[in-house]
Amino acid sequence: MGGMQAMECKNADPRPIALMVVFGFALAMCVSAVCALILQHQAENTLTAFQQDFISSQNDAAAWKKQVEDLSAELKHLKTRIRLAHKEHQDTAWLRAQWHRDVEIAGRHPYTEVTGAPARQLPRRYGTIPERTIWLYWYHPLTCPTSLHCSLSPKLQLLADSIMRNRGRFHVELVHKDQVEEFVSDVELPFRWKELPPKSQQGAVMNALLARYGGVALDLCTCLLRPLDDYWDEMVASGASFRGYLFRLNGRPWRHAHAVADWFFMGRREGIFSSAVRSQVIAMGDSLDPDYTNRNIFGDAILFPLLTMFNFSLPRCGEDKTVGSHREDCPDVGQIPWWKGISGPARNDTRLLLRDPRDGPLLPFAYLGMDQWDVTGTELPSHDPDSWLWQSVLGANMFGVRCKSQKECWEEYVVKRFNKKPKPGEAPILNFVKLTQCNEVETQSKEALLAAKDSFFYNLLRLSGLSATT
């Protein structure tokens, strides 16, 4: 029995064992191949990442190289600029030294070089002019270049006569271009004021005159109907140092990009115009173009900011919606907003007397050839109602005008205002009328002007009291 079992073991089939050995070997081969593939893939990824890092490093190196080159070029440029600036500084220092040497050799001083006068020398007329003075300025390169060669047009001469006749207790000074230095120093005027247009010359000179002397700055194209004594007395009695006209003060819009009427100023000496003088010199600098900001550099752009220091609630041009696309030309736009109280409360060391000019001397039809209108006319002059000056939309000159004929306009806006009784302690609203047609070189003769007895111009002269003497 035992022999039979031994025999069976010896005769067992060996193939399954061989198959298992082969399968194990094959499995080991597969595992080895898979591991090799995994290792190969990892090696490829590592190589790819290394290549990308290498390319990125090359790009970064190129960028850094470019930055280094740019910085080197900029450094070289800066060195050149520093060298040139140093040379310019040396040249400037040399020129300054030469200038001082020339001044010393000439026995003069820098102040004299600028002003043409020695230090501590006041203008010749200073101390001889009363504060109650009406200041007029006129210059025309052809008809009035100097005080000795000046011929006013017949119209201007009649207006000057109305001012002289109704000067009241005021002294009157008509200043010509060649006389300015008798009244003020050159340091009170823009450095190149003599080269400015006549209107700008007038603005600069008037600011300087009122700063030093006080009085009234009046445009010559004005018909003075009666003395300004009431205006001055009211200003002094109320403790004010400035009187003038400000658009929008009556609550009505004004579509033009300006605020202060620059054809009438009244002020005490050494008042707010002292600040105006400083501002006009700084604002103009060496410039010859007073309109480079599209603003009235000697009126609005200087005076309105000064006025707002005393009254934060004054109406501002920049907030007037009727001004439209020209709002950036308003005197308050782009200025330091004192009215926001950025420096503290409003100044209270003086008072201002302000009125809206449209309630007094600036008639709504002043720019429509009003001088030739007929006080007996039964209709308005023929016109295009859609033209800019004749429009009656909100903010326009003719907005709210009620008269339907030239006669009605005369009676409503001239006679009625002239005869209106002022409140106690206040001055009348119409002591003068601002005209607008005075710039022409050739005008009608005096005889023709006085022969048109129904014209607005003649009847304004009559109200001024000139008709009896002409």
Side-chain angles (χ1 to χ4, degrees):
M1 191 71 172
M4 290 179 65
Q5 291 176 345
M7 184 64 72
E8 288 177 358
C9 290
K10 289 180 181 180
N11 293 332
D13 190 355
R15 286 179 295 180
I17 296 173
L19 287 172
M20 290 178 65
V21 172
V22 172
F23 177 76
F25 182 76
L27 182 60
M29 292 285 289
C30 288
V31 170
S32 177
V34 169
C35 290
L37 288 173
I38 291 174
L39 291 173
Q40 182 181 356
H41 182 68
Q42 290 179 343
E44 289 176 352
N45 288 342
T46 302
L47 180 60
T48 301
F50 176 77
Q51 289 176 339
Q52 291 177 347
D53 290 342
F54 180 74
I55 293 172
S56 177
S57 299
Q58 285 184 323
N59 292 336
D60 290 344
W64 278 106
K65 183 179 180 181
K66 180 67 169 56
Q67 289 185 11
V68 169
E69 292 175 351
D70 292 343
L71 289 173
S72 298
E74 185 176 352
L75 179 61
K76 184 178 179 181
H77 179 65
L78 286 174
K79 287 182 178 179
T80 302
R81 291 181 59 186
I82 291 172
R83 185 168 57 254
L84 293 175
H86 181 66
K87 185 177 184 304
E88 183 178 352
H89 174 74
Q90 289 179 326
D91 293 343
T92 302
W94 182 84
L95 288 173
R96 188 184 298 113
Q98 288 292 108
W99 181 73
H100 281 294
R101 190 189 68 176
D102 292 343
V103 169
E104 290 175 0
I105 292 175
R108 306 177 74 184
H109 301 280
Y111 177 86
T112 304
E113 292 293 321
V114 174
T115 65
R120 297 181 296 277
Q121 178 173 310
L122 297 173
R124 187 174 66 84
R125 298 290 301 276
Y126 188 64
T128 67
I129 306 295
E131 190 176 22
R132 294 178 73 120
T133 295
I134 296 176
W135 296 99
L136 307 168
Y137 179 86
W138 191 254
Y139 167 76
H140 192 283
L142 299 178
T143 61
C144 190
T146 67
S147 56
L148 297 178
H149 300 87
C150 184
S151 176
L152 297 179
S153 68
K155 187 174 189 178
L156 281 176
Q157 187 59 60
L158 287 170
L159 294 176
D161 291 343
S162 76
I163 295 172
M164 287 299 298
R165 179 179 179 84
N166 292 293
R167 64 185 181 276
R169 302 195 306 275
F170 278 86
H171 174 72
V172 178
E173 281 286 349
L174 174 56
V175 181
H176 299 273
K177 185 177 181 179
D178 62 314
Q179 298 174 318
V180 171
E181 293 178 1
E182 298 181 13
F183 298 93
V184 297
S185 169
D186 277 353
V187 295
E188 299 169 278
L189 299 167
F191 283 97
R192 305 177 71 177
W193 74 270
K194 293 181 181 179
E195 303 171 66
L196 295 174
K199 182 65 176 176
S200 299
Q201 290 181 23
Q202 175 180 328
V205 171
M206 288 300 192
N207 286 339
L209 289 171
L210 290 189
R212 185 176 282 275
Y213 299 93
V216 178
L218 189 64
D219 190 272
L220 188 54
C221 192
T222 300
C223 186
L224 188 56
L225 306 180
R226 51 191 168 199
L228 296 172
D229 295 316
D230 290 341
Y231 285 44
W232 182 269
D233 293 341
E234 181 187 359
M235 181 183 70
V236 174
S238 63
S241 64
F242 174 84
R243 183 177 197 135
Y245 291 95
L246 185 71
F247 290 98
R248 305 177 186 85
L249 200 64
N250 59 9
R252 302 205 316 265
W254 179 245
R255 65 178 178 178
H256 306 279
H258 58 267
V260 181
D262 61 354
W263 30 262
F264 175 90
F265 297 140
M266 178 180 283
R268 304 299 305 270
R269 60 186 178 90
E270 305 298 342
I272 67 171
F273 284 96
S274 296
S275 298
V277 165
R278 180 188 64 232
S279 297
Q280 73 180 12
V281 173
I282 295 173
M284 284 301 297
D286 293 324
S287 176
L288 278 176
D289 183 10
D291 300 319
Y292 69 98
T293 60
N294 294 322
R295 300 174 179 175
N296 180 358
I297 197 72
F298 302 110
D300 264 359
I302 287 177
L303 286 177
F304 185 77
L306 293 176
L307 297 179
T308 58
M309 292 183 186
F310 296 90
N311 187 344
F312 291 166
S313 64
L314 293 179
R316 291 182 285 279
C317 169
E319 297 177 358
D320 189 338
K321 296 181 180 179
T322 66
V323 175
S325 61
H326 299 289
R327 194 171 303 173
E328 67 277 3
D329 297 333
C330 288
D332 54 301
V333 174
Q335 298 277 8
I336 298 175
W338 302 111
W339 55 87
K340 293 184 179 180
I342 60 176
S343 63
R347 290 176 57 182
N348 59 2
D349 51 314
T350 190
R351 291 187 59 199
L352 311 174
L353 290 185
L354 298 170
R355 288 179 176 174
D356 194 303
R358 294 170 292 176
D359 295 335
L362 185 63
L363 305 181
F365 31 80
Y367 294 92
L368 300 176
M370 171 191 74
D371 299 11
Q372 286 79 43
W373 283 23
D374 191 333
V375 296
T376 64
T378 56
E379 58 185 17
L380 294 175
S382 59
H383 63 278
D384 178 5
D386 294 325
S387 65
W388 173 259
L389 292 177
W390 278 95
Q391 289 178 358
S392 57
V393 298
L394 185 67
N397 297 41
M398 294 291 284
F399 174 73
V401 172
R402 299 179 297 274
C403 54
K404 302 299 182 182
S405 68
Q406 298 170 68
K407 180 180 179 181
E408 288 182 15
C409 290
W410 171 260
E411 293 174 349
E412 178 70 20
Y413 291 94
V414 180
V415 177
K416 187 175 180 179
R417 290 183 180 182
F418 183 75
N419 292 328
K420 184 177 181 179
K421 297 294 183 182
K423 297 179 181 179
E426 293 186 2
I429 62 172
L430 192 69
N431 278 17
F432 66 95
V433 172
K434 177 68 179 76
L435 304 182
T436 62
Q437 299 169 273
C438 295
N439 292 329
E440 61 271 24
V441 176
E442 295 183 5
T443 59
Q444 292 176 281
S445 66
K446 181 179 179 180
E447 292 73 21
L449 289 169
L450 297 179
K453 298 189 182 301
D454 290 331
S455 70
F456 273 30
F457 182 74
Y458 177 86
N459 281 272
L460 286 173
L461 295 178
R462 183 177 60 81
L463 285 180
S464 73
L466 280 185
S467 59
T469 62
T470 54

